[in-house]
């Protein structure tokens, strides 16, 4: 016969409730006791019945994680960090990709609602009003979007944009192009807010744009024609596409124009020139989003994570 929870409790000399907590809320169990219970369960071949536990607790022990574009190298580290954090709390993560489409995003949320205990929304494209409406049916934590009364993990885009603009100003750049992302992007709004307050700089705005390499490639001729000596791009993919487009017009980076991205994805480090970028703490954000979702009484809590400028080869002194 299959081992039961009572068999495990008897084998390691603890109460049945301790075995139950080891699997349902391991962070509440003393590490030494937890190790003993897990070892006994492994020896006996015991596996908790998730369906029965869901009926007893009213929880599915699943959470949804919805990202704007899973092909963007920014998201996989965040996803892996969230999955690892959730696994440590005995939760499974269902990952879904909206392909930057708010209609798909809404559809996925409605589909997941009855299958999960909560949803992590990463870089959502839906309006705040729609997200608030959908949150009536399932708890949310939003990543990189501020919505009043809703738990959020924010990467400090404003801080990063200031660092980037200060770096460019220090290199003598005055006319700077700001290449934004898609409509409704919180990151774009934060970048534009900082740029609007920048003193002594002549900012030229381009957007909305697709947050992809193709988006950067498409806007390159306009950037080249505007007379800017530097560019702050929505993300690294846009920055890399922009560098490619400028190279096709025989405009050198950083000799003729400097380029800064956002995210610090691997392709930016491998590119030539290596991309100067604002590093976003994706791994930390993934872990924190899981913790916020599972915290009791975490409603409305907001965590803001620092960003950092990483100077590489795509920025240089302005040519006079």
């Amino acid at each position: 016969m299959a081992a039961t929870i009572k068999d495990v409790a008897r084998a390691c000399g603890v109460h049945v409730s301790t075995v139950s907590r080891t699997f349902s809320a391991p962070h509440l169990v003393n590490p030494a006791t937890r190790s003993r219970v897990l070892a006994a369960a492994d020896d006996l071949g015991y596996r908790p019945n998730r369906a029965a536990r869901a009926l007893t607790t009213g929880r599915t022990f699943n959470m949804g994680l919805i990202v704007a574009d899973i092909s963007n190298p920014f998201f996989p580290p965040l996803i892996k960090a969230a999955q690892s954090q959730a696994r440590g709390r005995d939760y499974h993560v269902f990952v879904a990709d909206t392909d930057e489409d708010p209609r798909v995003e809404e559809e996925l949320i409605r589909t997941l609602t009855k299958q999960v205990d909560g949803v992590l929304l990463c870089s959502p494209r839906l309006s705040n009003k729609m997200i608030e409406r959908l949150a009536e049916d399932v708890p949310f934590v939003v990543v990189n979007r501020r919505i009043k009364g809703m738990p959020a993990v924010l990467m400090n885009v404003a801080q990063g944009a200031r660092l980037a603009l200060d770096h460019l100003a220090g290199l003598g750049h005055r006319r700077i192009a700001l290449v934004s992302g898609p409509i409704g992007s919180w990151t774009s709004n934060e970048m534009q807010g900082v740029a609007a307050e920048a003193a002594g700089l002549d900012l030229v705005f381009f957007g909305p744009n697709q947050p992809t390499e193709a988006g950067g490639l498409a806007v390159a001729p306009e950037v080249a024609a505007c007379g800017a000596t530097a560019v702050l791009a929505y993300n690294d993919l846009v920055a890399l596409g922009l560098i490619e487009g400028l190279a096709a017009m025989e405009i050198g980076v950083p000799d003729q124009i400097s380029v800064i991205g956002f995210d610090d994805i691997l392709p930016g480090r491998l590119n030539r020139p290596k991309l100067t970028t604002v590093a976003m703490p994706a791994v930390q954000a993934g872990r924190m989003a899981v913790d916020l979702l599972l915290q009791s009484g975490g409603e409305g809590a907001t965590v803001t994570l620092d960003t950092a400028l990483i100077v590489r080869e795509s920025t240089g002194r302005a040519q006079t």
Side-chain angles (χ1 to χ4, degrees), residues 28-49:
L28 298 178
V29 180
N30 176 280
T33 303
R34 185 170 66 233
S35 297
R36 201 163 76 248
V37 170
L38 292 174
D42 192 52
D43 289 343
L44 294 169
Y46 170 75
R47 294 292 179 272
N49 187 322

Side-chain angles (χ1 to χ4, degrees), residues 112-312:
L112 285 172
T113 293
K114 293 188 180 357
Q115 304 175 53
V116 299
D117 297 330
V119 174
L120 310 179
L121 268 182
C122 301
S123 300
R125 302 300 180 222
L126 286 168
S127 68
N128 285 8
K129 185 178 288 187
M130 178 55 75
I131 292 173
E132 287 168 343
R133 191 178 304 162
L134 292 167
E136 294 172 3
D137 298 322
V138 65
F140 282 153
V141 170
V142 286
V143 178
N144 273 7
R145 174 75 72 86
R146 192 189 297 275
I147 302 175
K148 187 176 180 181
M150 192 170 294
V153 178
L154 305 176
M155 295 176 232
N156 201 333
V157 172
Q159 176 190 43
R162 288 188 193 96
L163 291 170
L165 291 175
D166 287 348
H167 173 64
L168 293 173
L171 292 171
H173 297 281
R174 292 296 175 265
R175 187 166 174 82
I176 300 172
L178 184 72
V179 178
S180 64
I183 294 172
S185 163
W186 177 82
T187 296
S188 284
N189 292 339
E190 290 289 293
M191 291 170 64
Q192 289 171 1
V194 170
E197 297 171 358
L201 298 178
D202 180 13
L203 279 298
V204 189
F205 296 89
F206 294 96
N209 300 284
Q210 285 298 309
T212 60
E213 187 178 354
L217 195 61
V219 79
E222 295 176 69
V223 171
C226 80
T229 61
V231 184
L232 178 57
Y234 171 77
N235 66 14
D236 286 353
L237 289 180
V238 171
L240 293 173
L242 183 62
I243 291 172
E244 183 183 352
L246 293 170
M249 293 180 281
E250 299 185 345
I251 298 172
V253 175
D255 295 340
Q256 292 167 274
I257 188 167
S258 291
V259 177
I260 298 181
F262 260 83
D263 289 347
D264 190 27
I265 60 174
L266 179 60
R269 297 171 227 160
L270 301 178
N271 191 64
R272 294 296 179 271
K274 294 180 180 180
L275 186 64
T276 295
T277 186
V278 174
M280 303 277 268
V283 169
Q284 195 179 354
R287 292 175 183 150
M288 188 60 66
V290 169
D291 287 345
L292 273 186
L293 188 64
L294 297 182
Q295 275 175 9
S296 58
E299 184 177 348
T302 298
V303 176
T304 301
L305 305 175
D306 285 341
T307 53
L309 179 69
I310 299 178
V311 179
R312 296 195 181 106

Side-chain angles (χ1 to χ4, degrees), residues 6-30:
K6 290 181 179 179
D7 295 328
V8 176
R10 192 179 304 113
C12 54
V14 298
H15 196 273
V16 168
S17 62
T18 302
V19 178
S20 177
R21 271 197 303 277
T22 297
F23 289 98
S24 63
H27 59 291
L28 298 178
V29 180
N30 176 280

